[in-house]
Amino acid sequence: MWRGRAVAFCVGCQSLANSSYGVKGKSPLQKLHLVSRSIHHPHYTSSKFQRPPLRTSIQQFSSLNRLPLRKTKLLSVKYGYLPHRNFWVARLASRLLKLRYLVLGSAVGGGYTAKKTYDQWKEMLPDLSDYKWIVPDIIWELDEHIDFEKLSKALPDAEDLAKLLPDFDKIGESLSSLKGFFSPGYNLVSEVIGASDLLLLLGSQGETAFRATDQGYENDKQYKKVSDKEKIDQLQEELLHTQLKYQRILERLEKENKELRKLVLQKDDKGIHQRKLKKSLIDMYSEVLDILSDYDASYNTQDHLPRVVVVGDQSAGKTSVLEMIAQARIFPRGSGEMMTRSPVKVTLSEGPHHVALFKDSSREFDLTKEEDLAALRNEIEIRMRKSVKEGCTVSAETISLNVKGPGLQRMVLVDLPGVISTVTSGMAPDTKDTIFSISKAYMQNPNAIILCIQDGSVDAERSIVTDLVSQMDPHGKRTIFVLTKVDLAEKNVASPNRIQQIIEGKLFPMKALGYFAVVTGKGNSCESIDSIKDYEEEFFQNSKLLKTCMLKAHQVTTRNLSLAVSDCFWKMVRESVEQQADAFKATRFNLETEWKNNYPRLRELDRNELFEKAKNEILDEVISLSQVTPKHWEEILQKTLWERVSTHVIENIYLPAAQTTNSGTFNTTVDIKLKQWTDKQLPNKAVEVAWETLQEEFSNFMTEKKGKEHDDIFDKLKQAVKEESIKRHKWNERAEDSLRVIQHNALEDRSISDKQQWDAAIHFMEDTLQNRLKDTESVIEDMVGPDWKKRWLYWVGRTKEQNIRNETKNELEKMIKCNEDHAAYLANDEVTTVRKNLEAKGVAVDPCLIKDTWHQVYRRHFLRTALSHCNLCRRGFYYYQRHFVDSELECNDVVLFWRIQRMLAITANTLRQQLTNTEVRRLEKNVKEVLEDFAEDGDKKVKLLTGKRVQLAEDLKKVREIQEKLEAFIEALHQEK
């Protein structure tokens, strides 16, 4: 039985060899591989087939993982037939058993190699953890629905693993190809690769060397015929073509990745992704910078957060480089003139659509549409011109712009006005110094990345910005140098080595982290971003600068520049953001301590919160106007209106009418003058009084102090609101017309119905005449000086003019005593008589002085007479009812004052109704509009709400907000790592 099995094993082995290698002939075993022969017939008797064991000094490598295999010492092969057949069968069986171990070992080694290759591929795949939501939840629950143990049992058994037996002929070919590693061409290729720096795009050093060596080995005979220099040139050209090939492949893959990301983000916008989207990392960081720009406009030591500062000479191409990074022509353009008049902060972030929007606006500009691009450029230009103050050319006010789009590198850039060497006509004299100060303010931030733009088409000696950058960053630890317009430089520069010196940092005194050369178009403002990118790629592909290794592959194109700037920006952010957060934490602690020490019982209300509190107080005070009683309104209106018109009534109506001889003429004169007064002056005066009364009441409510609750920090704001509201308020013009009719009707009524009204008119007349008499006596005293009592008691005397007026007064009083019914005016002969009498006393007097003195003397005489007549009319109501028939007493002046009093009461009532029903509400509306306007005007609030308390609360709020947002940003940054 054993014998039969042995024969079967031998026949099986022979058939296996024939089927595996396809060998046919008389002696098939002689054509097998040496290892196979040693396995089947290790003791063949014929000596002519004996060969020495195979020994090799080269190191063998696996084709999968390149791990060195253990050197195998092959057995010597002897051919012939065994003298004892039984031992031959046993030995053959043992060899077949060894073959089983060889097959299993190969399977295990192949499995290990496959697993390691799988791990390498897995590491190369992007992290798709953020897109787990795309895969349905049922996929993650497959282990609950599928029995993987049954599935593992269904896998192939050990017999199928025999198919994993390696092809030994291909292994031999691989061993022969490995000899190329030890050829002289390998060292040459390694030197070329090390000098060209193209490994950034070709892959790892070992992989590049392996490919280059294979090619070198195949053309080994050809390389021996040419010189070493030609070999290097040929290898450089081949490596350049390979780099361009992989560059195109990389761009194609990135384009596909961009489209996929755009589709994913669009799905998020359409609502497929139901969870709430978090704010992007760069948007969180940009918010912090926006708050800092408001909090610390001077960029002092507080603000050390990184940002990319784009500086360069005027027309050096700063804006064009920034547009290439943003992938849109978003900035205004000009031919040689200054277009960037203020700093523009551009925040780049990824998004499904290529759009731009300002920080303080909700409008989105679609950057794929030319009309939106034109509108965006126009809006930026308008904002720049608005930020520039009168008499200036540039402004330090920052314009904040967010640009989102698929494939954009996340970073924050600040485009500054171009540095100039000469102030031209039309510019402010301090333009050059202002630009330098703005640039230094941004660059002195120790964590700011300086993107220095240099025009390659002009002489390097004309550069101004390089000296400025070298002052701010002398060691070049945060500077990236960019040479623009390289296409023009290659045509115009006589020595291309000059460009190489610039890129290597040997021509300028400044130092930099990296040097880049870019092309931003042909100078046509109508070029699109895609056409510029195609032109740039075509130029560098055919440029001698790259072929002759004056420029390195990773130093060209704006795409590589964008990647490098983004990496440098985020590296700087990660290194410095936590330190800045700690600095703001310390600042917050100091501010909170200062607040507790100075204002322990007050809440920390910032300017906006204080404005809201003041707004509520003002509105409450305006509402209080509607709670004023009608009686209070009418009393104030009646009193104020009479004070305003009493002089006109006494001087222009009562006095002229009193000069008449009879009651009929008196009444006629009064009626005429009252009609004229009502038609021309009275309604307007009444409206003025009502408006002034409303203002006065409103001011009283606004300025009234409410005890301990009064906060004087609102006084300036309340005063400004009051003035602006009153300025905007206009009284209803139709009110005068209706009021004129009411007043005319009131003055035409002469009927006094009862004794009470008569007494009220007497009292009103008496008070008016007494007040006028006091005022007249006061005027006369000022004219003639103190009397003898005051002169003796207070030791005061009269002036020369007062003595003259006193003598004139005495002379005029004598004249009135002689004729108590004298007219109101002196005749010319009477004036001459008085003057001569005074001259006889040695007093020289002017006729005008006599008339002026007479006016006051006669007024006093008239008022005294009128008061005595008023007392007589107290009992005249009986005669009034009888129309003064059969009576010598005439009280027409009392009727006049009753008409005036009644007109005042009716006018006050009418104005009160208009105030409470219309004007108070309109004033309240004006106050609300003024408060809304002030709420939107930040400068106005800063001007009206001032003081240490307000500023301290503002600083505390800003620092807290900055610290909280920084902490949230740092947490998100750690999660992204």
Side-chain angles (χ1 to χ4, degrees):
M1 186 175 180
W2 169 252
R3 183 182 182 89
R5 290 182 178 176
V7 173
F9 272 105
C10 184
V11 175
C13 184
Q14 186 173 358
S15 64
L16 178 63
N18 291 335
S19 64
S20 302
Y21 300 95
V23 180
K24 296 181 180 180
K26 294 181 181 180
S27 304
L29 293 177
Q30 295 179 6
K31 297 182 180 182
L32 289 174
H33 194 272
L34 297 179
V35 177
S36 178
R37 294 175 190 172
S38 64
I39 292 174
H40 286 278
H41 306 286
H43 298 289
Y44 196 73
T45 56
S46 178
S47 61
K48 66 180 181 178
F49 293 102
Q50 294 180 3
R51 296 183 181 180
L54 180 60
R55 297 181 181 272
T56 178
S57 61
I58 66 172
Q59 189 177 14
Q60 302 181 24
F61 288 84
S62 170
S63 62
L64 291 177
N65 58 5
R66 302 176 190 160
L67 294 175
L69 300 176
R70 182 178 298 176
K71 296 181 181 180
T72 306
K73 183 177 181 181
L74 301 179
L75 301 176
S76 60
V77 182
K78 298 181 180 181
Y79 301 91
Y81 296 95
L82 294 175
H84 303 286
R85 190 173 181 86
N86 292 336
F87 292 98
W88 178 81
V89 174
R91 293 182 182 275
L92 180 60
S94 64
R95 295 298 183 269
L96 288 176
L97 293 175
K98 291 183 178 180
L99 178 62
R100 178 187 62 183
Y101 294 115
L102 181 61
V103 171
L104 292 177
S106 300
V108 173
Y112 173 75
T113 304
K115 181 179 181 301
K116 187 169 183 180
T117 305
Y118 167 75
D119 293 337
Q120 292 178 354
W121 289 353
K122 185 177 179 181
E123 292 177 357
M124 293 170 60
L125 292 176
D127 185 8
L128 300 178
S129 60
D130 294 337
Y131 303 95
K132 288 183 178 180
W133 55 269
I134 298 177
V135 181
D137 295 339
I138 191 174
I139 301 300
W140 308 111
E141 300 174 358
L142 283 176
D143 55 346
E144 300 179 3
H145 304 282
I146 300 177
D147 191 354
F148 288 99
E149 294 183 359
K150 294 181 180 180
L151 187 62
S152 61
K153 294 179 180 179
L155 294 176
D157 52 8
E159 295 179 358
D160 295 332
L161 294 177
K163 296 180 182 180
L164 296 175
L165 183 66
D167 191 341
F168 293 104
D169 290 339
K170 293 184 178 180
I171 293 176
E173 294 177 2
S174 299
L175 292 174
S176 62
S177 65
L178 289 175
K179 295 179 181 180
F181 279 99
F182 302 94
S183 63
Y186 171 73
N187 296 330
L188 178 63
V189 173
S190 300
E191 293 175 0
V192 173
I193 293 173
S196 64
D197 269 352
L198 292 178
L199 300 178
L200 293 173
L201 296 172
L202 285 178
S204 62
Q205 183 177 1
E207 184 177 343
T208 308
F210 185 78
R211 297 173 185 172
T213 306
D214 286 343
Q215 192 173 359
Y217 178 74
E218 292 175 0
N219 302 323
D220 186 44
K221 294 181 180 180
Q222 182 180 358
Y223 288 156
K224 292 180 181 179
K225 296 179 182 180
V226 298
S227 62
D228 293 343
K229 183 176 181 181
E230 292 178 350
K231 291 178 183 179
I232 294 174
D233 294 340
Q234 186 174 359
L235 284 174
Q236 287 178 346
E237 186 174 357
E238 291 175 357
L239 288 173
L240 181 61
H241 285 300
T242 306
Q243 183 264 335
L244 294 175
K245 172 185 175 183
Y246 282 95
Q247 181 78 12
R248 286 191 291 271
I249 295 174
L250 185 61
E251 290 178 354
R252 178 175 58 81
L253 293 175
E254 286 184 348
K255 186 176 180 181
E256 294 176 357
N257 183 36
K258 184 190 299 184
E259 294 295 330
L260 290 174
R261 291 178 64 87
K262 183 176 180 180
L263 290 174
V264 171
L265 293 171
Q266 285 177 343
K267 290 179 180 180
D268 289 348
D269 288 346
K270 292 178 181 179
I272 295 178
H273 186 27
Q274 297 295 334
R275 68 181 177 88
K276 185 178 180 181
L277 292 177
K278 294 183 179 179
K279 194 172 293 184
S280 66
L281 200 62
I282 190 64
D283 289 338
M284 296 171 66
Y285 186 76
S286 179
E287 282 185 2
V288 176
L289 293 182
D290 288 337
I291 299 172
L292 277 172
S293 65
D294 298 334
Y295 169 68
D296 189 16
S298 61
Y299 289 104
N300 58 20
T301 56
Q302 287 285 345
D303 182 11
H304 287 170
L305 289 174
R307 53 177 62 76
V308 181
V309 180
V310 186
V311 295
D313 298 334
Q314 184 178 347
S315 302
K318 299 185 289 71
T319 303
S320 299
V321 171
L322 193 54
E323 287 180 335
M324 290 295 293
I325 295 176
Q327 299 182 15
R329 308 300 295 269
I330 58 178
F331 290 103
R333 302 178 183 87
S335 178
E337 60 177 325
M338 178 181 293
M339 299 304 299
T340 306
R341 297 180 178 272
S342 64
V344 181
K345 182 177 77 69
V346 182
T347 302
L348 301 180
S349 60
E350 280 193 311
H353 307 289
H354 203 185
V355 296
L357 66 159
F358 292 96
K359 178 187 71 171
D360 55 353
S361 175
S362 59
R363 178 187 176 184
E364 286 190 351
F365 296 88
D366 190 350
L367 301 184
T368 60
K369 298 180 180 178
E370 187 58 37
E371 56 270 17
D372 278 21
L373 280 171
L376 176 62
R377 291 192 289 265
N378 185 50
E379 180 67 20
I380 292 177
E381 186 173 2
I382 291 174
R383 288 174 178 256
M384 284 184 181
R385 295 190 182 278
K386 284 184 177 179
S387 65
V388 177
K389 297 179 181 179
E390 186 177 357
C392 300
T393 307
V394 294
S395 169
E397 183 178 344
T398 304
I399 299 173
S400 182
L401 180 68
N402 292 343
V403 178
K404 298 182 180 180
L408 293 182
Q409 299 297 321
R410 303 176 303 169
M411 67 183 95
V412 177
L413 304 102
V414 182
D415 186 21
L416 300 180
V419 179
I420 60 175
S421 59
T422 305
V423 177
T424 59
S425 61
M427 291 185 179
D430 61 342
T431 301
K432 178 180 177 180
D433 297 334
T434 304
I435 294 175
F436 267 85
S437 63
I438 294 174
S439 302
K440 288 181 179 180
Y442 276 90
M443 288 191 293
Q444 70 184 3
N445 179 0
N447 296 322
I449 300 167
I450 303 173
L451 195 63
C452 180
I453 309 297
Q454 172 63 35
D455 189 350
S457 63
V458 300
D459 296 334
E461 289 76 11
R462 294 168 57 185
S463 176
I464 307 172
V465 71
T466 51
D467 295 336
L468 180 61
V469 172
S470 62
Q471 295 175 9
M472 296 292 102
D473 185 23
H475 302 291
K477 294 182 179 180
R478 51 189 179 90
T479 301
I480 297 177
F481 182 86
V482 182
L483 186 67
T484 61
K485 306 177 184 179
V486 182
D487 52 340
L488 300 178
E490 187 180 30
K491 296 178 183 178
N492 300 334
V493 177
S495 175
N497 293 330
R498 192 172 180 85
I499 299 178
Q500 184 179 7
Q501 291 178 354
I502 295 175
I503 296 300
E504 291 178 354
K506 298 179 180 179
L507 191 62
F508 291 109
M510 58 168 288
K511 299 179 181 179
L513 283 173
Y515 297 82
F516 289 86
V518 299
V519 175
T520 56
K522 301 179 182 179
N524 186 3
S525 61
C526 298
E527 289 180 289
S528 64
I529 294 296
D530 293 334
S531 63
I532 296 175
K533 291 168 69 175
D534 294 339
Y535 172 71
E536 184 183 41
E537 180 181 353
E538 181 182 357
F539 167 77
F540 284 115
Q541 185 175 356
N542 302 322
S543 175
K544 295 180 181 179
L545 299 173
L546 199 61
K547 290 182 178 180
T548 58
C549 285
M550 292 186 182
L551 298 179
K552 299 177 183 179
H554 68 276
Q555 292 180 316
V556 298
T557 72
T558 51
R559 178 187 167 278
N560 289 337
L561 170 64
S562 177
L563 291 171
V565 173
S566 179
D567 291 342
C568 187
F569 170 76
W570 285 107
K571 179 182 177 183
M572 188 72 78
V573 168
R574 289 186 173 92
E575 290 177 353
S576 61
V577 68
E578 293 188 2
Q579 181 181 358
Q580 293 302 305
D582 293 338
F584 280 106
K585 188 182 295 184
T587 304
R588 173 180 175 177
F589 175 78
N590 294 336
L591 292 174
E592 288 177 345
T593 303
E594 184 178 358
W595 181 274
K596 291 177 182 178
N597 293 334
N598 293 318
Y599 312 103
R601 298 183 180 180
L602 295 177
R603 290 193 300 128
E604 301 163 0
L605 299 179
D606 60 9
R607 187 171 279 109
N608 292 330
E609 293 171 337
L610 287 171
F611 182 83
E612 290 299 323
K613 183 178 178 181
K615 177 180 177 181
N616 295 331
E617 289 188 7
I618 293 172
L619 292 177
D620 292 341
E621 291 162 356
V622 174
I623 294 175
S624 300
L625 281 175
S626 60
Q627 300 175 357
V628 177
T629 61
K631 181 180 179 181
H632 179 74
W633 278 120
E634 293 181 9
E635 288 178 356
I636 295 177
L637 289 170
Q638 187 171 350
K639 178 182 178 181
T640 308
L641 180 59
W642 176 240
E643 290 175 355
R644 188 68 56 86
V645 302
S646 60
T647 301
H648 179 83
V649 171
I650 300 298
E651 300 293 336
N652 299 325
I653 298 177
Y654 181 45
L655 280 176
Q659 304 302 316
T660 59
T661 57
N662 55 58
S663 61
T665 308
F666 178 88
N667 292 330
T668 302
T669 305
V670 167
D671 290 342
I672 294 173
K673 291 188 176 293
L674 287 177
K675 181 70 168 60
Q676 294 175 351
W677 183 43
T678 305
D679 292 339
K680 296 180 180 179
Q681 300 181 10
L682 183 58
N684 183 264
K685 291 287 184 180
V687 171
E688 288 181 1
V689 167
W691 177 221
E692 292 176 2
T693 303
L694 179 61
Q695 295 182 37
E696 184 178 358
E697 290 296 314
F698 180 53
S699 300
N700 293 336
F701 280 111
M702 293 284 286
T703 58
E704 182 182 1
K705 295 186 178 181
K706 300 178 181 179
K708 296 182 179 180
E709 297 180 358
H710 177 74
D711 195 345
D712 56 359
I713 203 171
F714 300 143
D715 291 346
K716 291 177 65 176
L717 176 61
K718 290 182 178 180
Q719 182 68 21
V721 171
K722 183 195 72 173
E723 293 176 357
E724 184 65 23
S725 302
I726 292 173
K727 181 180 178 182
R728 296 185 184 185
H729 186 82
K730 293 182 179 179
W731 200 273
N732 190 359
E733 296 179 355
R734 294 177 298 177
E736 291 188 12
D737 297 332
S738 60
L739 189 60
R740 181 178 293 106
V741 175
I742 294 172
Q743 291 173 339
H744 182 71
N745 293 334
L747 290 173
E748 284 185 348
D749 187 8
R750 299 190 186 92
S751 60
I752 303 176
S753 60
D754 53 15
K755 183 69 166 57
Q756 185 177 1
Q757 293 181 357
W758 181 270
D759 293 339
I762 293 292
H763 180 70
F764 175 62
M765 178 180 176
E766 187 177 13
D767 289 344
T768 302
L769 295 177
Q770 286 179 353
N771 292 332
R772 286 291 164 178
L773 182 59
K774 290 180 181 179
D775 294 339
T776 303
E777 290 178 346
S778 176
V779 173
I780 293 175
E781 184 179 357
D782 292 338
M783 291 174 61
V784 301
D787 56 6
W788 63 273
K789 291 183 179 180
K790 290 184 179 180
R791 290 200 301 272
W792 281 99
L793 292 175
Y794 300 106
W795 290 85
V796 292
R798 293 172 177 170
T799 62
K800 182 178 179 181
E801 183 180 357
Q802 289 176 342
N803 287 324
I804 295 174
R805 284 188 178 273
N806 184 52
E807 294 295 334
T808 305
K809 177 183 73 76
N810 295 333
E811 194 67 27
L812 293 173
E813 286 178 348
K814 292 178 182 179
M815 185 183 294
I816 291 176
K817 287 180 179 180
C818 295
N819 183 13
E820 293 185 355
D821 296 331
H822 196 285
Y825 301 98
L826 284 176
N828 291 332
D829 55 347
E830 293 176 330
V831 173
T832 303
T833 302
V834 172
R835 182 171 61 83
K836 289 182 177 180
N837 293 336
L838 292 174
E839 287 179 354
K841 295 180 180 181
V843 179
V845 65
D846 186 70
C848 293
L849 187 144
I850 296 173
K851 291 180 179 181
D852 188 25
T853 307
W854 167 257
H855 180 70
Q856 299 299 330
V857 172
Y858 180 80
R859 179 192 294 270
R860 183 175 64 179
H861 169 72
F862 173 78
L863 292 173
R864 288 174 177 174
T865 305
L867 278 172
S868 62
H869 181 70
C870 181
N871 291 328
L872 293 175
C873 289
R874 288 183 183 275
R875 54 184 178 84
F877 180 69
Y878 171 76
Y879 299 101
Y880 166 76
Q881 289 179 328
R882 297 182 62 184
H883 303 289
F884 300 103
V885 177
D886 299 332
S887 175
E888 297 180 358
L889 181 65
E890 294 182 357
C891 297
N892 293 313
D893 49 357
V894 177
V895 177
L896 170 63
F897 277 91
W898 181 84
R899 294 167 69 183
I900 298 295
Q901 185 182 31
R902 187 168 182 271
M903 182 275 299
L904 292 174
I906 293 175
T907 302
N909 181 268
T910 304
L911 293 175
R912 188 268 306 169
Q913 293 180 11
Q914 187 174 359
L915 281 173
T916 55
N917 296 335
T918 305
E919 303 303 330
V920 171
R921 294 179 181 178
R922 293 178 62 233
L923 180 61
E924 181 180 356
K925 182 180 177 181
N926 290 338
V927 170
K928 289 181 179 179
E929 292 177 355
V930 170
L931 289 172
E932 290 175 359
D933 294 344
F934 283 6
E936 296 175 358
D937 191 348
D939 296 336
K940 183 74 72 175
K941 288 192 288 187
V942 171
K943 181 180 179 181
L944 298 176
L945 293 173
T946 58
K948 179 181 178 181
R949 169 184 158 194
V950 180
Q951 192 59 44
L952 185 59
E954 279 288 307
D955 294 344
L956 191 53
K957 177 192 173 184
K958 292 291 185 182
V959 170
R960 281 175 177 167
E961 187 177 7
I962 293 169
Q963 183 197 351
E964 291 171 359
K965 289 188 177 295
L966 274 178
E967 290 176 351
F969 171 75
I970 293 171
E971 183 179 356
L973 188 66
H974 290 330
Q975 291 177 358
E976 189 182 64
K977 291 181 181 179

